[in-house]
Amino acid sequence: MNDALPINPALASRGELTRERILDAAEQIFANKDFSAARLEDVAQAVGIKRASIVYYFSNKQELYDAVEGRLFAAMVEATEQRLNADAPALQQVLTVLDTWLDFMVKRPTAPRLILRDSANTYPNASASVRISGVALSTWESVIRAGQEKGELVDVEPMYLLHLLGAPAIYFAATSQLLGENRNFDPAEPEHLQAFRSMLHRSARAVLQP
Amino acid sequence: MNDALPINPALASRGELTRERILDAAEQIFANKDFSAARLEDVAQAVGIKRASIVYYFSNKQELYDAVEGRLFAAMVEATEQRLNADAPALQQVLTVLDTWLDFMVKRPTAPRLILRDSANTYPNASASVRISGVALSTWESVIRAGQEKGELVDVEPMYLLHLLGAPAIYFAATSQLLGENRNFDPAEPEHLQAFRSMLHRSARAVLQP
């Protein structure tokens, strides 16, 4: 005889739903406040549950933060892989990665701001810093290296190229409302997004072609 | 008869020295920790004075932070103006600005990390965000606009160009130790700095020329 209660599928999926709602609220709060100022209480209040209910899903703030980041990078990499065509010319593949990241970050402005906060941090050891973001770096690196091996892309450090071409997309998506009254613009407006994208492509072609 | 004590020049300069030492320590601490976690006590301890002595110079943490940022941007803009030659071709002037910023941030790694933290913030109103960093944006804007008026530079938003060309320098200087064990490098090493700089120039020429 088994004492365990049968799993109630409705409850299981309700649990998953609550977990997602906690992650949604936490993503906003971690993007808006620095890590030290963000409180589990605020997340609970935004979801409309008790703090103790969050702890049932995530045992502490760091664990919740890591889950937010993990979900974010997984979504970004998944969107990239859906659009990537491994048979396309290497330059085209890199432009696809950049376009996907740009679109992703403009549509989800919490993403570039969380990445900016992460980028300012220090970490106790070299592997800790990429524990979560590493999937995105690996995607970038493998597309660049494949193009380099075929002789289609310039033979320089993939990480230089990431700084040169990835950082602009982060800054465009995150900071276009921080430039001051007469300079601010909405990066999601098609006119701005298209104009910026074409400049980013211009830069990418110039730096990537051997 | 005047009751005020005569100013003792030795004491005045000792006061200025202490003020600078507080700013030096605070710059490190604000770069290493998020604003909420940084404590005046830590700054005092690093300088070897009492917390109350800091409050004599800066009445609270926000005021100290603003002074750190103000000093940083003033130094960056001063370095830029020293190297700028208003008679040079516009493209050359932009490359000079970029080189100065890149060298400044690589030599003073607290700078790009403070800028990253700032860039992730939200502000209560549009002018608050550029209250301090505005001097750097204005320098950039005036060099770009002057070149555009002479027809030497592409006619696009100066802020797009800032995202495209300024953000890479920030990321190169701040995050090259956050890429993971097999990717990390020292951005101050001449080999890396020179290779990155030449790629940045390549991008700048491609996006700036009409």
Side-chain angles (χ1 to χ4, degrees), chain A residues 34 36 119 160 171 192 203, chain B residues 34 36 119 122 160 171 192 203:
Chain A
D34 61 33
S36 306
S119 306
Y160 295 171
Y171 262 81
H192 290 296
S203 170
Chain B
D34 60 35
S36 306
S119 306
T122 47
Y160 295 170
Y171 262 81
H192 291 296
S203 170

Side-chain angles (χ1 to χ4, degrees), chain B:
Chain B
M1 190 182 153
N2 189 341
D3 278 347
L5 290 168
I7 290 168
N8 178 332
L11 281 181
S13 72
R14 198 165 72 187
E16 279 161 33
L17 196 68
T18 305
R19 193 176 185 278
E20 284 301 300
R21 285 171 56 218
I22 293 170
L23 288 171
D24 289 343
E27 186 172 317
Q28 292 291 338
I29 286 166
F30 285 128
N32 288 343
K33 292 184 176 184
D34 60 35
F35 183 81
S36 306
R39 299 177 332 145
L40 288 186
E41 283 81 354
D42 300 333
V43 177
Q45 203 183 356
V47 179
I49 58 177
K50 288 182 191 151
R51 187 186 182 286
S53 310
I54 291 188
V55 179
Y56 171 80
Y57 296 93
F58 305 98
S59 59
N60 56 49
K61 184 162 74 167
Q62 187 66 53
E63 201 176 302
L64 177 58
Y65 182 85
D66 291 353
V68 165
E69 289 262 298
R71 189 178 70 148
L72 199 70
F73 281 105
M76 199 163 104
V77 166
E78 201 199 319
T80 313
E81 281 167 0
Q82 276 174 6
R83 284 170 69 174
L84 262 186
N85 168 10
D87 298 325
L91 176 63
Q92 191 51 56
Q93 288 188 49
V94 183
L95 294 181
T96 300
V97 174
L98 290 173
D99 282 346
T100 311
W101 290 1
L102 180 61
D103 291 335
F104 182 88
M105 292 194 289
V106 165
K107 252 192 238 156
R108 192 163 168 172
T110 46
R113 290 170 57 212
L114 282 166
I115 294 173
L116 284 169
R117 293 194 188 282
D118 277 349
S119 306
N121 282 340
T122 47
Y123 295 86
N125 63 63
S127 57
S129 59
V130 286
R131 192 169 40 101
I132 299 170
S133 62
V135 289
L137 298 190
S138 299
T139 301
W140 177 261
E141 206 165 41
S142 68
V143 170
I144 299 289
R145 293 259 188 243
Q148 289 174 334
E149 275 159 30
K150 289 191 285 177
E152 292 179 29
L153 298 182
V154 65
D155 190 25
V156 306
E157 261 304 313
M159 293 301 115
Y160 295 170
L161 299 172
L162 183 64
H163 294 328
L164 281 162
L165 301 171
I170 297 169
Y171 262 81
F172 176 81
T175 71
S176 297
Q177 293 290 325
L178 300 183
L179 303 168
E181 278 172 284
N182 301 318
R183 302 190 192 100
N184 285 351
F185 61 90
D186 176 2
E189 235 175 58
E191 184 200 358
H192 291 296
L193 181 55
Q194 222 16 71
F196 181 78
R197 190 195 307 280
S198 89
M199 297 305 288
L200 183 59
H201 285 199
R202 211 202 256 212
S203 170
R205 286 196 191 89
V207 301
L208 291 169
Q209 283 172 332

